[in-house]
Amino acid sequence: MSSQEKDQRHFLMTGDKFVDWKGNEFAVIERPRWSFRDLFRSSGQPVRVLSPNGTLLFQMPPQRTRDIDQLWIEDDSETRIATLRRTGREAMTANLFQASDTNGDPFGDIRGDSLYTTFEVMDSRNMPIGHVSTSGGMTTIRCPDDGDRWRFLLMALAIAAEVAAELQAQRTP
């Protein structure tokens, strides 16, 4: 067995599921059904990410816009696990984000492209230590550590980025 197959930090999002390198499904995305009634509501049903046995791993608000300004994830008791907030742009080609914990204390930075297809988790020396990247209908995720906080936050970012990228593609010039 290769080290990549054992590594729980490196996995794929394809369709509405997350799989490890062996193809074993470990999470399913349950998206809310869309309706005209929900279009004008500020709070809709959350996007839920479940384990294969149906246990809630985390939930997040649905992405409704072309840009990701703020994203948070909650556990089953609706307690925030982590928040991702856009802190700026870099020469209109990159989005800069800061990840913070339940107390609002920062624990990492993420730099993403303007098309929401590639994100890099940066360490304190501004070196990449993790990523989310989409190509060919599949998203590759590499977490900087084995903790659920980064794992769930990057899974949520991949879900939100997929919707934001689709909405950007629909933008008329």
Side-chain angles (χ1 to χ4, degrees), residues 7-52:
D7 191 353
Q8 298 289 316
R9 299 176 301 164
H10 204 177
F11 52 93
L12 305 170
M13 181 180 85
T14 178
D16 278 340
K17 60 185 174 180
F18 291 93
V19 297
D20 63 18
W21 285 108
K22 292 182 186 177
N24 299 320
E25 182 180 300
F26 68 87
V28 178
I29 304 166
E30 185 181 88
R31 300 176 195 267
R33 287 202 252 165
W34 186 87
S35 72
F36 282 109
R37 183 180 295 171
D38 291 335
L39 183 62
F40 299 105
R41 292 183 181 170
S42 60
S43 64
Q45 295 293 321
V47 173
R48 296 165 33 98
V49 177
L50 311 168
S51 69

Side-chain angles (χ1 to χ4, degrees), residues 47-71:
V47 173
R48 296 165 33 98
V49 177
L50 311 168
S51 69
N53 69 6
T55 305
L56 180 70
L57 298 174
F58 68 88
Q59 60 186 10
M60 59 185 269
Q63 179 67 29
R64 297 175 186 254
T65 64
R66 295 185 298 237
D67 289 314
I68 300 170
D69 293 317
Q70 182 170 309
L71 173 67

